[in-house]
Amino acid sequence: MNAPRFFASGHAPITFSFHKCPKDFVVQEEPLYAFYGHGDHLIVQVRKKNKSTWEMLSLLSQILGCDVSIFGYAGLKDKHTMALQYVSMPKSYETLLDRHTPILAEQGITILRSTTHPHKLNLGHLKGNHFLVRLKKLDPINAQRISQVLLFLQAYGFPNYFGVQCSESLEDGFRQSYASGQRIDRVLLSTQQSCLFNQWLSARMRLNSLVQVLSPKEITQEFIGLDVKQVQGLKTQQHYFKLLSGDVLCHYPSFRRCFYHYDQDLGHDVERLFTHRLAPTGLLPGHKVLLAKDVAGSFEEPYSNLIDIQGDRRYALVFPTDVSFNYNTQKAQGELRFFLPKGAYATTFLEELAGKELFNSEVPTPIKTPALS
């Protein structure tokens, strides 16, 4: 079932119009590292319009007469955008690619620049993405409210739900696998992982919201895995995302080491959360993955169904940076720029800004009823 969305700031919904199209939705990748300028792999930065990453790679394979598996990429980009992203291929295809540049341009794909590197690009070799979005039919009052909410989200972060872009990328991958005769198991399992994560995050955000308004006794009746003393401790935490004993935290934004949170470390961990040096994580269920313990573990268990795929952890919160917002009164339009780390979705950020769901962002997947709700 789809997970209800709980928002961070709790502000009343903000009204604006946003349409995903290349004119109003621009994304540019920031690589994880600088390319060396030498090696056996050609790295090209492409600008594409109205094509998903899979569609672009399929077109490249047809034009170059090669299998799509030779290409490397760091991230999947939404179809309904203007996207600047990097693609790798063996350097031996450089001359052939140059020859077909005009054909690619006719299909909405422009080669901006190229370099070389010793290794093929792999999914996830990405620091994050810079976004530009245009919000239309925006009156001055709601523009002012957006400015205020942006300050909150920069300071406190927002819940890192998988968004509509994830669903579209997975559906694209499903079609690509079907067309190439490959097995689609991995695509379906990835879909299940993302849905389970979203439902876990929704349950935690629900807890965060109720801690603000209900008494400790009422909370323990709502969440049977918590006692009154634990809830009283949650109420003392100033951040809206309440840390539970046994939560898996991770350094931010590098994701270089995960570790457990325990009540005796509360002051230190909350301080690092406020200063964006760590963030709580949620489970992408599967094999060989670190599981939460104690209270957090019992909360996570209903969503930890073993899936026959490599498991992982994912930030439960992310912090937008490089945020700027300019409002044009005459056009009743706002131009919003921001940077998000890899794995975070601009559509999720826009929903958080609006304080309401703007997109149908999940593929329905039945799971067990949570034990703690």
Side-chain angles (χ1 to χ4, degrees):
M1 60 182 177
N2 289 341
R5 191 65 56 91
F6 290 87
F7 299 102
S9 68
H11 65 275
I14 296 175
T15 300
F16 58 78
S17 175
F18 171 68
H19 178 59
K20 289 199 300 175
C21 66
K23 181 180 178 182
D24 297 334
F25 193 12
V26 181
V27 55
Q28 179 174 350
E29 289 184 340
E30 182 172 327
L32 185 62
Y33 43 70
F35 302 118
Y36 289 1
H38 62 81
D40 297 329
H41 292 268
L42 180 69
I43 308 289
V44 295
Q45 186 187 37
V46 302
R47 182 178 63 219
K48 64 177 187 65
K49 298 179 182 180
N50 293 319
K51 275 189 172 51
S52 68
T53 299
W54 283 112
E55 289 172 335
M56 176 186 65
L57 296 179
S58 179
L59 180 61
L60 283 170
S61 71
Q62 293 174 33
I63 290 176
L64 300 181
C66 61
D67 191 270
V68 73
S69 63
I70 73 160
F71 300 111
Y73 54 92
L76 295 171
K77 295 295 172 283
D78 194 289
K79 177 176 181 175
H80 308 290
T81 66
M82 178 188 294
L84 285 71
Q85 71 174 120
Y86 292 92
V87 178
S88 73
M89 65 191 75
K91 194 174 184 297
S92 57
Y93 284 92
E94 183 172 15
T95 301
L96 190 58
L97 180 66
D98 289 341
R99 190 184 310 158
H100 289 92
T101 296
I103 298 175
L104 290 170
E106 292 174 359
Q107 297 294 320
I109 300 171
T110 303
I111 306 297
L112 299 178
R113 57 182 60 86
S114 64
T115 185
T116 51
H117 194 68
H119 309 296
K120 178 181 180 179
L121 280 178
N122 289 313
L123 191 64
H125 283 185
L126 187 67
K127 183 177 181 181
N129 296 285
H130 298 271
F131 295 93
L132 183 154
V133 298
R134 291 185 174 89
L135 310 178
K136 299 183 176 180
K137 298 181 180 178
L138 181 63
D139 63 44
I141 294 177
N142 279 315
Q144 179 61 35
R145 294 179 61 208
I146 283 177
S147 296
Q148 294 170 350
V149 174
L150 286 172
L151 293 175
F152 175 92
L153 297 179
Q154 288 176 83
Y156 291 90
F158 66 96
N160 192 25
Y161 291 103
F162 282 98
V164 65
Q165 293 153 277
C166 173
S167 297
E168 291 174 350
S169 295
L170 290 168
E171 290 169 8
D172 218 21
F174 185 96
R175 290 191 293 269
Q176 182 76 12
S177 299
Y178 181 81
S180 62
Q182 300 173 2
R183 296 182 66 185
I184 61 174
D185 304 37
R186 186 173 183 84
V187 177
L188 295 174
L189 292 172
S190 294
T191 303
Q192 188 175 7
Q193 274 187 325
S194 64
C195 288
L196 288 167
F197 176 90
N198 272 12
Q199 294 192 32
W200 168 84
L201 183 53
S202 176
R204 284 295 294 265
M205 287 298 295
R206 178 170 177 265
L207 171 63
N208 298 334
S209 299
L210 293 180
V211 165
Q212 305 293 333
V213 297
L214 298 184
S215 69
K217 184 176 180 180
E218 290 172 319
I219 294 290
T220 59
Q221 293 172 347
E222 187 75 18
F223 298 91
I224 59 175
L226 294 170
D227 60 37
V228 170
K229 184 177 180 181
Q230 289 169 332
V231 176
Q232 289 172 338
L234 296 182
K235 283 183 170 290
T236 66
Q237 296 184 31
Q238 294 181 338
H239 199 283
Y240 73 83
F241 195 98
K242 310 303 180 184
L243 299 182
L244 300 177
S245 179
D247 261 330
V248 179
L249 309 181
C250 191
H251 291 281
Y252 188 92
S254 63
F255 215 92
R256 58 185 171 86
R257 187 175 72 86
C258 289
F259 54 96
Y260 288 110
H261 163 74
Y262 295 107
D263 289 342
Q264 60 266 30
D265 303 319
L266 180 61
H268 183 52
D269 287 345
V270 169
E271 188 272 333
R272 289 194 291 169
L273 175 59
F274 266 109
T275 53
H276 307 173
R277 289 180 290 158
L278 63 76
T281 70
L283 177 68
L284 296 173
H287 301 296
K288 299 179 180 178
V289 60
L290 189 65
L291 300 175
K293 295 181 178 179
D294 301 340
V295 178
S298 62
F299 208 102
E300 184 176 275
E301 192 279 331
Y303 310 96
S304 61
N305 302 9
L306 185 62
I307 299 177
D308 192 16
I309 193 173
Q310 178 65 47
D312 206 349
R313 306 295 304 188
R314 171 180 169 86
Y315 286 129
L317 296 181
V318 291
F319 303 93
T321 57
D322 298 336
V323 177
S324 68
F325 178 66
N326 295 300
Y327 179 62
N328 187 315
T329 305
Q330 291 182 331
K331 293 183 178 180
Q333 176 177 302
E335 185 176 276
L336 175 62
R337 297 175 184 267
F338 54 96
F339 176 83
L340 297 178
K342 67 178 181 181
Y345 293 90
T347 49
T348 300
F349 180 60
L350 291 179
E351 288 187 319
E352 185 67 47
L353 191 62
K356 59 184 177 182
E357 294 190 51
L358 303 173
F359 313 97
N360 181 19
S361 59
E362 284 195 279
V363 179
T365 300
I367 66 164
K368 295 188 299 184
T369 301
L372 292 180
S373 63

